[in-house]
Amino acid sequence: MVYLDPGHQARANTIHERVSPYSNETKMKVTGGTTGVVTRKPEYVLNLEAAFLLEELLTEKGFEVYLTRSAHDVDISNKERAEMANEKKADLVIRLHADGAENPNVSGFGVLVPSKKQAIAKQSNLAATLIVSEVKKQSGMKVNGIRYRSDLTGFNWSTVPVVLLEMGYMTNPTEDQKLSNPAYLEGMLQAVTTGVEKYAALQ
Ligand SMILES: [Zn+2]
């Protein structure tokens, strides 16, 4: 079973929660996300569009799929989103996000995974590797690869394998427009689906 988490929501929640069960450090429950520099689309809108599409593609392949949210006007913290998937003992969680950078030239698809210290690191990294190798086969896709993160609340509270797709940079004018092109988004998410199928076959 795959749990999809479309990142962010209509309004940020600036109340803090613990970043990890192992530290007292805190971070905002849900940040605002980025915005398309050309499309003016908020990231939380793109993330849900992508989640619905990925839900459809995975369902067609026979996966059972759950979403942490299917509307924008919700208030679910990153810790709560992780706990939703933990409770269902998801085989894999896919968090959907888009990136933003000060430099408008920065672009590309990337995947974030929990740091190597976490118990879920190995399986998460396997899923990320398979996804990245499929996305690389898509023509016209710039792929930045995998980055390890120990500072993400949604990773630190997860007890099940989890990857975070940074689908592209909404601060890059070309990539922002591509991300709102249904053919481009579907091509990317078809590749992600194939990666998930390969991951599932190895379980
Ligand atoms: Zn985001």
Side-chain angles (χ1 to χ4, degrees):
M1 185 264 284
V2 182
Y3 226 111
L4 304 181
D5 177 29
H8 312 282
Q9 57 198 28
R11 273 172 298 280
N13 185 335
T14 57
I15 295 170
H16 279 223
E17 65 183 356
R18 280 169 67 201
V19 168
S20 136
Y22 310 109
S23 105
N24 290 323
E25 194 195 328
T26 64
K27 264 191 1 191
M28 271 169 65
K29 285 190 168 193
V30 187
T31 57
T34 188
T35 304
V37 70
V38 177
T39 61
R40 305 311 302 165
K41 186 182 281 184
E43 184 194 336
Y44 67 82
V45 172
L46 174 70
N47 295 342
L48 189 57
E49 286 172 4
F52 283 147
L53 188 51
L54 187 55
E55 177 188 30
E56 203 179 301
L57 295 170
L58 287 168
T59 304
E60 274 169 22
K61 296 292 179 187
F63 288 96
E64 190 184 353
V65 183
Y66 286 84
L67 270 72
T68 56
R69 68 173 179 97
S70 50
H72 299 311
D73 190 17
V74 297
D75 188 13
I76 316 168
S77 79
N78 284 316
K79 177 177 178 241
E80 287 161 354
R81 292 170 193 232
E83 287 169 345
M84 288 166 88
N86 291 346
E87 263 167 46
K88 289 275 186 198
K89 295 188 166 54
D91 297 301
L92 181 64
V93 179
I94 303 176
R95 306 176 63 193
L96 293 145
H97 283 258
D99 236 330
E102 295 268 313
N103 180 348
N105 297 321
V106 179
S107 68
F109 171 96
V111 181
L112 310 183
V113 293
S115 77
K116 290 174 183 171
K117 278 186 282 181
Q118 277 185 262
I120 52 171
K122 201 175 165 199
Q123 285 299 304
S124 304
N125 185 60
L126 174 64
T129 305
L130 293 165
I131 289 170
V132 163
S133 96
E134 291 305 317
V135 175
K136 273 185 178 161
K137 293 179 192 166
Q138 284 290 116
S139 62
M141 289 279 316
K142 180 175 181 251
V143 182
N144 296 328
I146 297 170
R147 279 183 289 160
Y148 297 91
R149 297 285 291 266
S150 60
D151 60 325
L152 302 181
T153 309
F155 281 176
N156 293 337
W157 287 96
S158 186
T159 56
V160 294
V162 53
V163 298
L164 187 155
L165 309 184
E166 289 285 12
M167 298 182 286
Y169 282 80
M170 297 183 90
T171 44
N172 177 282
T174 310
E175 205 158 62
D176 174 34
Q177 290 174 90
K178 279 184 180 172
L179 289 165
S180 280
N181 173 340
Y184 179 86
L185 195 61
E186 185 160 353
M188 175 202 301
L189 296 174
Q190 293 264 17
V192 171
T193 300
T194 307
V196 173
E197 281 188 284
K198 291 192 171 172
Y199 173 77
L202 292 172
Q203 302 307 300

